[in-house]
Amino acid sequence: MTRSIVIGAGMVGLATAWHLQERGVDVTVIDRAGVAAGSSWGNAGWLAPAKTIPLADPSVWTYGPRALFDADAALHVPVRVDVSLWSFLARFVAHGTQRAWDTAMAALTPIDKLALESFDELIDGGVDAWTREGPFIVGFGHEKQARGFMRDIAGVIQHGQRVHVERLDDPRALAPQLSGQVGAAYRMDGQRFIEPGPFVHALAAAVEERGADMRVNAAVTDVNRTSMPTVTLATGEKLSADSVVIATGAWMPELARPLGVNVRVQAGRGYSFTVDTDEPAAHPIYLPLQRVACTPYDGRLRIAGTMEFVGPDEPLQARRVQAIVNQVRPFMTGVDLDNRHDEWVGSRPVTPDGLPLVGETRSAGVYVAGGHGMWGIVLGPATGKLLAERIVTGRTDPAIAPFDPLR
């Protein structure tokens, strides 16, 4: 039996491990902290291919500079001397053109189309978890503010996805948490959501039940190849296998850059918290101008937002949580924003061109899977399936061909 080591116990790493097991591979999963310890835990849990789009678009040229001086802006870049960060930002902004957006969207569309069925495959294969249909309720202060959202939806449809969006006369019938300040609202169908932490833990349980060796609180300090791919743990222990997958999210460069993966991966940190609501939240809510996503979670409403470009291990900034609160307060009612639970920050791996990094490194038998930005949850199962196929058969599915980590 062939053997593989997967470094990273988030959605992407565990989905890769599960699909490797499907193909008869013996798997060891290693994580420096634990299952779903990174951005797989506190995100919004959206399985929304219609919104799985490039992060940089033409609006970044006007919104970005304003955000530097707005303490409540969804985008936060600290004013500091950091050559590496500003180099990334220059490349990121350079992709904020319609042509670059279309190029990236064309590359993302094939895997977007596989996203939902890939979740069904995991659940049908024994993962004890669920996904739920929307609708997603999309709210704006007034009708003109919906133009950017509708333009994005039109672009997604143009590139081959099927998306149904319908104007709502009474959004509070579906989302009573929306206040009278929401003057225009739509419902978006065909999308789903999950509770991400429980789903990833269920996936980990399935992988372990199938015989995987799960090693948590085990840091990997090096990956190299001598006679075969080998990882070195912080304890000095060395483990070898036929293949190694680096799926460590925003920390990927630490292990992957020495292997020729030179595409910049910047931590784009997101924040979330949960709140009690007077009426139960049944459907996800999206406030595009505030860049805030809300999801029913464990009897409460999880509110997630912010893109903060800093280091992946920097501490939670309470000011960023308050910025989300300030942004959403006018548009919500019956929501206890001042009694927050589970305040969280997680580092999402963002690339300048908006495309993931999935494939083999310059070291034969060593692969990376990451760089999905905000879309690691929704694209994780499809990524794991197609990477496992590449590892076992040598065939690169066209859906991941544009994500070559050596580009």
Side-chain angles (χ1 to χ4, degrees):
M1 178 180 286
T2 59
R3 292 173 295 142
S4 185
I5 297 170
V6 177
I7 308 169
M11 178 68 89
V12 176
L14 289 168
T16 304
W18 192 90
H19 280 287
L20 285 168
Q21 291 174 318
E22 280 286 279
R23 292 178 172 272
V25 178
D26 185 38
V27 176
T28 296
V29 178
I30 303 173
D31 195 280
R32 67 175 190 167
V35 173
S39 57
S40 286
W41 187 84
N43 64 86
W46 283 20
L47 311 185
K51 290 303 297 173
T52 305
I53 61 178
L55 293 180
D57 62 30
S59 71
V60 75
W61 292 93
T62 53
Y63 177 80
R66 291 202 313 269
L68 293 176
F69 304 100
D70 182 356
D72 288 339
L75 174 65
H76 176 64
V77 181
V79 180
R80 61 172 66 161
V81 178
D82 187 332
V83 174
S84 181
L85 171 61
W86 290 102
S87 174
F88 164 81
L89 289 172
R91 297 178 190 179
F92 180 79
V93 171
H95 284 87
T97 66
Q98 190 60 51
R99 174 184 243 177
W101 191 94
D102 283 323
T103 298
M105 192 68 241
L108 287 168
T109 296
I111 198 167
D112 282 354
K113 289 182 175 181
L114 297 173
L116 297 183
E117 65 186 55
S118 298
F119 277 86
D120 293 337
E121 186 171 1
L122 292 177
I123 294 169
D124 293 344
V127 176
D128 185 15
W130 50 262
T131 70
R132 289 183 185 159
E133 295 280 350
F136 284 52
I137 312 306
V138 187
F140 304 90
H142 54 79
E143 188 65 45
K144 288 184 179 180
Q145 293 178 341
R147 291 174 179 172
F149 169 76
M150 296 303 291
R151 184 172 56 247
D152 286 346
I153 293 298
V156 166
I157 293 172
Q158 180 184 354
H159 282 280
Q161 289 196 52
R162 300 176 66 180
V163 187
H164 179 74
V165 175
E166 178 183 332
R167 181 76 152 77
L168 287 173
D169 294 327
D170 182 15
R172 284 181 52 80
L174 292 171
Q177 294 76 31
L178 292 176
S179 76
Q181 294 297 311
V182 175
Y186 294 79
R187 63 178 289 164
M188 181 171 63
D189 291 288
Q191 319 299 303
R192 306 186 205 170
F193 66 96
I194 60 173
E195 292 185 347
F199 193 104
V200 176
H201 276 276
L203 178 55
V207 168
E208 188 168 19
E209 286 168 6
R210 289 169 152 212
D213 180 13
M214 301 287 292
R215 297 197 178 196
V216 297
N217 299 312
V220 174
T221 58
D222 183 59
V223 179
N224 60 54
R225 182 184 177 93
T226 50
S227 58
M228 62 192 310
T230 301
V231 305
T232 303
L233 303 183
T235 60
E237 181 183 4
K238 294 182 182 295
L239 303 172
S240 296
D242 299 285
S243 61
V244 171
V245 178
I246 302 170
T248 51
W251 295 267
M252 178 189 291
E254 298 172 9
L255 298 176
R257 188 171 291 126
L259 306 175
V261 181
N262 295 318
V263 176
R264 170 78 184 183
V265 176
Q266 169 64 43
R269 302 205 309 172
Y271 285 73
S272 74
F273 50 86
T274 58
V275 292
D276 294 304
T277 59
D278 290 350
E279 297 186 53
H283 306 296
I285 298 169
Y286 182 36
L287 300 175
L289 264 67
Q290 291 71 33
R291 290 170 168 79
V292 169
C294 308
T295 316
Y297 190 97
D298 194 25
R300 297 191 176 105
L301 185 68
R302 171 172 282 178
I303 300 177
T306 291
M307 176 62 75
E308 180 185 44
F309 288 132
V310 294
D313 293 310
E314 295 191 33
L316 181 148
Q317 301 293 325
R319 184 65 188 83
R320 302 312 306 154
V321 174
Q322 189 61 48
I324 298 173
V325 171
N326 293 346
Q327 286 278 2
V328 304
R329 192 184 294 278
F331 301 98
M332 291 194 161
T333 185
V335 176
D336 191 355
L337 292 169
D338 296 318
N339 183 27
R340 298 181 293 274
H341 307 265
D342 302 321
E343 291 187 351
W344 171 90
V345 63
S347 295
R348 301 165 298 198
V350 181
T351 60
D353 61 7
L355 299 182
L357 303 168
V358 183
E360 194 169 25
T361 70
R362 288 211 175 101
S363 182
V366 180
Y367 302 81
V368 295
H372 294 82
M374 296 169 62
W375 319 127
I377 287 291
V378 61
L379 298 183
T383 295
K385 178 178 182 177
L386 299 182
L387 181 59
E389 177 187 11
R390 168 66 179 85
I391 292 169
V392 174
T393 71
R395 174 183 177 270
T396 298
D397 190 283
I400 58 170
F403 309 152
D404 183 356
L406 302 180
R407 64 182 183 270

